[in-house]
Amino acid sequence: LQLVESGGGLVQPGGSLRLSCAASGFIPDYYAIGWFRQAPGKEREGVACISSEDDMPYYAESVKGRFAISRDAKKNTAYLQMNSLKPEDTAVYFCAVDAIGEFTVKAMCITPIYDYRGQGMQVTVSS
């Protein structure tokens, strides 16, 4: 399973970005996929996670109401729509998959824990 992210970059405070995560290779029938971020000097944080059954997604408190995770099963692609961006959202963002399905989406995001991850990309929120 390979994951490739796109859509990162520089945006002004209050702006929006949509991140994409394309999966290829062996994709299990059930999996959970999430977006994570890590800023310099800070711990890795699970931002948003969702399962292939599209049950209730999990969001970190810091992004609730601003970010939305979605998934296009036909394209094997997950998205993270980020609105009302703040400077504190600046970080390297990456997507990751729990391919075994042994964790809830909440556990995946909170721990954080996953089996595969992409290389990540920089998101900078600055004027």
Side-chain angles (χ1 to χ4, degrees):
L1 179 67
Q2 293 82 42
L3 302 169
V4 178
E5 304 100 337
S6 61
L10 173 66
V11 63
Q12 291 188 342
S16 298
L17 278 177
R18 189 175 83 152
L19 308 184
S20 298
C21 172
S24 61
F26 174 73
I27 299 173
D29 291 334
Y30 176 84
Y31 61 90
I33 189 165
W35 286 95
F36 301 80
R37 67 186 182 186
Q38 188 160 23
K42 294 188 177 181
E43 291 190 356
R44 188 178 35 172
E45 177 186 21
V47 174
C49 296
I50 192 170
S51 77
S52 56
E53 294 181 350
D54 286 338
D55 50 10
M56 189 74 71
Y58 172 84
Y59 294 98
E61 284 295 326
S62 57
V63 306
K64 271 185 180 178
R66 300 188 298 122
F67 290 11
I69 188 171
S70 61
R71 195 179 60 87
D72 185 329
K74 292 184 178 179
K75 295 182 178 180
N76 291 324
T77 300
Y79 304 95
L80 184 68
Q81 178 66 44
M82 305 189 296
N83 299 324
S84 302
L85 282 161
K86 305 174 182 180
E88 51 263 44
D89 293 318
T90 295
V92 172
Y93 285 71
F94 63 92
C95 60
V97 166
D98 164 24
I100 300 176
E102 58 184 324
F103 302 104
T104 65
V105 291
K106 181 177 179 179
M108 182 185 183
C109 258
I110 288 179
T111 306
I113 190 165
Y114 41 79
D115 304 305
Y116 301 90
R117 60 160 288 177
Q119 287 195 327
M121 57 189 168
Q122 181 69 40
V123 171
T124 301
V125 185
S126 175
S127 55

